[in-house]
Amino acid sequence: MRLLINLLFSLLLTISSPAHLVQQLFVDFSADESSWMAEIRFDAGMALPEMRVDKEAMQPKRQWLIDQTPQQHTELRKQAELYLRQAFQFYWVTESSENLIHYRVHFPEWDTSPPEFSKPFTDLGFAYFNVQCSGPIPESGGALEVRVREGDTPDFAFGYERIGSDRIVTAYPGKSLTLWTAEATPPSAQQSFLSFLDYGYRHVIPEGWDHVLFIAALCFLSFSWRPLLTQSLIFTLGHTITLALSISNTIPAIAPASMVWIEMLIAATIVYVALENLFTQKLKAHRLLTIFVFGLIHGLGFASVLGETIRASGSITMPLIAANLGVEVGQITVITFILVTLYWAKEKSYFPTIGKIASASIALVGTYWMVERLVGCI
């Protein structure tokens, strides 16, 4: 038992501040019988190597991009192309072969002088410019695939609005994705649903350590399936409501400066639940209301990740259901892992001690995150 406790405590203390915000670039995809084009709405800050390295750097504003000199614009285009060519590759794949496509890169906003940069998704005024990657479609049968480099590379969300489809599929680091087939068909509705399902799941595992710790904290007060599933569903209901309100613009977009406060509150919810475990012997009715409210708070962080992707899809209902279903499956995965891992100790006399130590460890990590983010707010 001591070894288990030491491992748990060491793991929690070595977890870095969670990657609650997943980097993502949006891509408008179109194709015909002879060619394809992927137009990327490129975050100007990602064109700067020093800004990519600095995770605390603020995303530049559109006015900053407009005020750059011609020489600086040239360097931005150069670095953006270099980055994209390193980030992903396109292949034409048949049953017997796969061929790398040497695609062309074009920056349409620089077709005018001075350049007219695209407006941001929201009124927060962030700096974006468009990058068009295009290439041929061979006459032979096959499929166009995109392969994203593994590592610290953003997700690429491909939308098909230009060819009359509201579907969105996402290519993740280290994986490949079929974008188009020789039969001139976009991804199916099922593929789009599974893509959002996967995106929601990744918001918990492996990207959302804060989400994981919140669910883990729930497990150490009511160590059985039924109450844990109830709490998980109530938590999902809370952040589903917030996400829906954000997507529909019922609540305004949250500025990055304010998001730091939201992330601090998310850490505080982890601390609260973990500490409650230390002073409460059994699950009480008020905890369900608390979890629902905390779900609303976590949903604000979720909205900052997935909100723009769902808006870009042109359809709200299916992506909202699929993404939150993915989150719920991720939460159930965490619950299952903890229940199975500690099942052997469930009937032991020292099991409550394990729960107290685990809860205290989670509270310590949450406190560290809360202080870290609070410092960032000041």
Side-chain angles (χ1 to χ4, degrees), residues 133-161:
C133 301
S134 59
I137 289 183
E139 295 181 359
S140 59
L144 177 68
E145 284 189 3
V146 61
R147 300 177 184 177
V148 183
R149 184 188 65 185
E150 190 171 7
D152 189 17
T153 307
D155 305 333
F156 290 87
F158 287 83
Y160 291 74
E161 185 177 358

Side-chain angles (χ1 to χ4, degrees), residues 41-106:
R41 194 181 300 269
F42 195 80
D43 176 353
M46 295 185 69
L48 303 175
E50 62 274 15
M51 192 169 291
R52 292 199 300 268
V53 172
D54 183 5
K55 300 303 181 182
E56 302 300 322
M58 295 296 293
Q59 187 175 0
K61 294 298 184 75
R62 185 169 182 263
Q63 191 58 49
W64 170 88
L65 181 59
I66 293 172
D67 293 341
Q68 297 293 291
T69 67
Q71 292 77 16
Q72 289 171 323
H73 281 163
T74 299
E75 183 64 18
L76 282 173
R77 297 199 305 273
K78 175 184 175 181
Q79 291 297 331
E81 179 173 354
L82 178 63
Y83 178 73
L84 287 173
R85 290 191 181 278
Q86 292 173 344
F88 61 46
Q89 297 290 342
F90 294 91
Y91 288 81
W92 188 256
V93 180
T94 66
E95 292 183 357
S96 59
S97 66
E98 56 180 39
N99 298 298
L100 178 66
I101 295 177
H102 298 284
Y103 58 89
R104 175 176 176 264
V105 175
H106 176 61

